[in-house]
Amino acid sequence: MTDQTPSRTIAVIGGTGPQGRGLAYRFALAGHHVVIGSRAADRAKEKADEIAARATENGFDVTVEGDENVAAAQRADVVLLAIPWQGHDEAVADLAPALAGSLVISCVNPLGFDANGPYGLVLEESAAQRAQRIAPDARVVGAFHHVAALSLWRTPDPLTHEDVLVCGDDAEAKDVVAELARSVTGKRGVDAGALRLARQLEPLTAVLISMNKAYKTRTGVAITGLPTQE
Ligand SMILES: NC(=O)c1ccc[n+]([C@@H]2O[C@H](COP(=O)([O-])OP(=O)(O)OC[C@H]3O[C@@H](n4cnc5c(N)ncnc54)[C@H](OP(=O)(O)O)[C@@H]3O)[C@@H](O)[C@H]2O)c1
């Protein structure tokens, strides 16, 4: 934990899936208190134990708990939505009262897959914008769309060669999330602009997945030309 990054309680909705598990693991290693959320409390607790065990194996002392999604959200000051696009709106609507006043991060990528591979769904609103509309009293920020679940889980080393792009309309919320990106890359996330730009960031993941397949690797995003920062 650095001075710039105070410890937070972070609920990971859909934390039983690979992306939620990976980000939860990284947040826990960085010293944050993590609550894994699931539609079933027992699944959440099982996943929390798995994450804590991996952290302990790697020599970290972490706090990871599990709870049902709404209860997890109520316990946190930051809530990460790591749920699939399919069923997203209904899930956010169920959570909306619990999200009021919270900082909500969306890493949800609305993608389709067909015989030609992955593609970004053409939507009037991004997933992050929809979350903001459905939960108007939350402060929604888009981030962590391009970090691969396997990379997050495989090693405790920071993914220093990658950038986390952060978009949002609330400057203070965006600043908090840019600092949380240190848990993953060891450096501040990049301010990628307004929340509406999630419409461009989310489908970019289809291009990364396509390149992963072509090159048999795990690609990420790194931005050049930015001023050097701590
Ligand atoms: N996988 C990646 O590498 C990656 C990278 C960047 C971003 N993302 C984004 O991160 C999100 C999660 O990805 P993932 O691969 O971890 O997804 P996933 O495994 O398909 O789903 C994550 C969890 O969401 C819950 N869930 C499933 N359907 C739901 C519904 N209808 N309503 C509420 N909860 C539901 C499930 O948990 P319970 O059954 O326990 O409730 C599931 O374990 C996606 O939007 C994806 O686009 C993924």
Side-chain angles (χ1 to χ4, degrees):
M1 192 69 48
T2 65
D3 288 347
Q4 297 109 311
T5 316
S7 176
R8 297 187 182 275
T9 299
I10 305 175
V12 181
I13 307 302
T16 54
Q19 186 68 355
R21 177 187 71 165
L23 285 167
Y25 174 57
R26 295 294 178 143
F27 291 144
L29 295 187
H32 299 290
H33 174 192
V34 174
V35 187
I36 296 293
S38 165
R39 288 168 294 179
D42 57 341
R43 273 206 300 279
K45 289 187 174 118
E46 214 172 282
K47 192 58 66 176
D49 290 346
E50 181 189 340
I51 294 167
R54 183 167 180 78
T56 305
E57 264 170 41
N58 283 302
F60 290 82
D61 187 17
V62 298
T63 316
V64 187
E65 297 173 87
D67 215 330
E68 187 277 326
N69 280 332
V70 170
Q74 282 167 338
R75 292 167 63 180
D77 48 325
V78 175
V79 180
L80 170 72
L81 299 175
I83 51 175
W85 171 242
Q86 291 71 21
H88 168 274
D89 290 3
E90 295 77 6
V92 177
D94 288 346
L95 283 166
L99 299 180
S102 290
L103 196 171
V104 174
I105 307 171
S106 172
C107 68
V108 175
N109 292 314
L111 303 179
F113 295 84
D114 65 14
N116 283 328
Y119 59 96
L121 299 179
V122 179
L123 304 167
E124 277 184 28
E125 286 176 313
S126 61
Q129 287 173 293
R130 283 175 86 121
Q132 183 65 85
R133 185 157 56 75
I134 297 167
D137 297 326
R139 297 179 295 151
V140 179
V141 171
F144 304 108
H145 300 100
H146 310 126
V147 282
L150 270 179
S151 304
L152 292 164
W153 184 245
R154 196 153 280 179
T155 155
D157 300 331
L159 299 171
T160 49
H161 55 291
E162 294 195 21
D163 281 312
V164 171
L165 306 188
V166 183
C167 65
D169 294 335
D170 181 311
E172 194 263 335
K174 197 157 58 164
D175 185 57
V176 170
V177 179
E179 281 302 323
L180 281 178
R182 286 187 196 278
S183 311
V184 172
T185 61
K187 57 185 189 273
R188 257 180 85 82
V190 176
D191 182 347
L195 192 67
R196 66 183 180 184
L197 292 179
R199 271 189 80 201
Q200 278 68 47
L201 296 182
E202 292 168 2
L204 177 61
T205 308
V207 182
L208 299 178
I209 295 170
S210 183
M211 290 188 289
N212 290 347
K213 194 163 176 221
Y215 293 95
K216 300 192 179 2
T217 187
R218 284 194 304 280
T219 56
V221 167
I223 305 297
T224 62
L226 293 169
T228 308
Q229 58 183 7
E230 300 265 303

